[in-house]
Amino acid sequence: GSRGRNRSMFRRSKSRSESRHDVQTEARLRNHREQEEKRLEEAEAEKQLQQKAEKLAISEPKLSSGSRPHTQARSAFPFYPARAVVADDKVPWAVKWPDYSPTTFTAPHVLANDSTVKPGGWADPVDPTSVDWPCRASYEGPIAFDGHQQPLNPRGRTGMSQRGYLGKWGANHAADPIVTRFDPASGRLQVAAIVRSDNGVIALPGGMVDAGEIVSATVRREFAEEVLNLPSEAQRSEVTRLLDQLFAGGGGGKVVYRGYVDDPRNTDNAWMETTAFHFHCTADLAVQLPLRAGDDAHNVTWLDVDDAEPRYAALYASHKDWVDRVACELRLRKGHSPKAVAAPAEATPPAPQGRRKPQRSMLGLGRLRIGSPKAARPATTGYGASPPPSPPPSEPASPTASPPPSLPPSPPPPPRRSSCVSATADFLV
């Protein structure tokens, strides 16, 4: 009888233990599921917040090029019909112009890609009132509409209505990477540029932001698509590693500009806006990074940042303004003259010991004696470089020889003022 009772008590105890174990296991699983769901919700919320911040241009300071009348947006575009002529004083919408009659044009391929008709289409519907405007934003501020509920270009009239080659009513957002380096051979500042396959114009390797895409991801994608078209898997793997270095920090980069683009494709009702990021190559990356045209480009090159370079002077739309701001910052940061940018030269070796004739510095700061600590500083290229030391005499001078006649010193040149200071203060972050 006692053995039966013991066995019964053991079975009940075992059953209670298994029941407690099952309850604990279920609690742990439930807790794990709740934590995983919470993590996914937080990740999704963070993604949505980042997308909203970029869309509303609040994640970085807004840097606008000012409210001066746009010019490229009123110019001819190879695939557009002739625009109506708009004088500078007629550009603002606030100026009454009852007789304004813009050219009406939307490209056939835009109409064919209506997202409400064609699956996977990238263009807005023909009727702008069917657009979900509360989900649209412009870096330029609230969007205004005309009497037909068509959005109005924030910079004013362009001489053409409808959408032209642009898929969306209102702002069409793009991303433009400004990738610079110091040329390993010449030391000059260069920028990665492409020749666009659609119109043959020199431009930055940018592109349109896909729906739901983060702008920083667009920058990397477009740079890889347009200037790193490599055939082999091994080369693509190596370039991916180099891109990880260049675009470190999840897209990182410094925002140089965010806002309206004075683009020849703009119309009264559709316009380009962009975020331009700057990435500078390290010395090693400047040598290793290959450039090969792909996607929208049929040629790609490292272009000297120099107004004397015709291709640089002819950069597309507002691209040259952005690169000029980057160049100004690099010059001021490295102490170079705004006239010429180059990598710092090797340090000047100390001058031979002995008495040397004083020489006047090119900056007009008084006489510097070769061999002194002041003159032994590293030389730089461009304006402001110290003159090279005089070669040592072939034999020592006789103590009885008369000294050579001294020449009167030349007057110092007037100080040079940097043209980059105001631009940097206004536009660089």
Side-chain angles (χ1 to χ4, degrees), residues 179 181 192-194 223-232 234-243 246-247 281 284-294 300-302:
V179 178
R181 72 167 186 175
I194 64 170
F223 186 77
E225 287 178 356
E226 296 199 358
V227 305
L228 299 174
N229 183 30
L230 301 174
S232 72
Q235 288 176 309
R236 287 193 292 270
S237 177
E238 174 63 15
V239 166
T240 299
R241 183 185 67 82
L242 297 177
L243 286 181
L246 180 62
F247 297 100
C281 295
D284 293 338
L285 192 58
V287 177
Q288 301 175 38
L289 192 64
L291 297 181
R292 295 186 59 171
V300 62
T301 185
W302 287 109

Side-chain angles (χ1 to χ4, degrees), residues 48-257:
Q48 292 178 358
L49 181 62
Q50 185 174 5
Q51 290 176 343
K52 182 179 180 181
E54 289 185 340
K55 192 171 184 179
L56 298 178
I58 61 175
S59 59
E60 294 285 351
K62 177 188 170 185
L63 302 173
S64 177
S65 60
S67 57
R68 60 183 180 275
H70 47 200
T71 56
Q72 294 292 327
R74 292 179 286 155
S75 66
F77 186 64
F79 307 104
Y80 281 12
R83 297 175 182 267
V85 178
V86 180
D88 287 353
D89 61 338
K90 297 289 188 179
V91 170
W93 295 110
V95 176
K96 301 298 182 182
W97 189 2
D99 298 331
Y100 177 54
S101 180
T103 302
T104 300
F105 175 69
T106 300
H109 71 274
V110 174
L111 298 174
N113 279 277
D114 185 337
S115 59
T116 62
V117 177
K118 178 181 177 180
W122 44 263
D124 279 346
V126 175
D127 183 7
T129 61
S130 61
V131 174
D132 187 9
W133 288 110
C135 294
R136 297 284 179 91
S138 169
Y139 297 145
E140 297 293 301
I143 298 176
F145 296 83
D146 63 13
H148 302 286
Q149 291 303 303
Q150 295 177 337
L152 293 176
N153 189 313
R155 296 298 177 88
R157 299 180 177 95
T158 65
M160 180 172 292
S161 62
Q162 300 292 307
R163 287 175 289 166
Y165 261 45
L166 302 180
K168 297 184 182 302
W169 293 97
N172 290 253
H173 289 136
D176 294 286
I178 304 173
V179 178
T180 59
R181 72 167 186 175
F182 285 113
D183 183 13
S186 67
R188 297 191 63 81
L189 181 65
Q190 296 181 323
V191 63
I194 64 170
V195 179
R196 293 184 59 87
S197 58
D198 56 353
N199 56 12
V201 177
I202 304 289
L204 296 175
M208 305 303 295
V209 178
D210 293 339
E213 187 176 31
I214 297 175
V215 176
S216 56
T218 306
V219 169
R220 175 174 178 143
R221 172 176 58 80
E222 286 294 333
F223 186 77
E225 287 178 356
E226 296 199 358
V227 305
L228 299 174
N229 183 30
L230 301 174
S232 72
E233 183 62 33
Q235 288 176 309
R236 287 193 292 270
S237 177
E238 174 63 15
V239 166
T240 299
R241 183 185 67 82
L242 297 177
L243 286 181
D244 288 339
Q245 296 181 29
L246 180 62
F247 297 100
K254 184 173 185 179
V255 175
V256 176
Y257 176 80

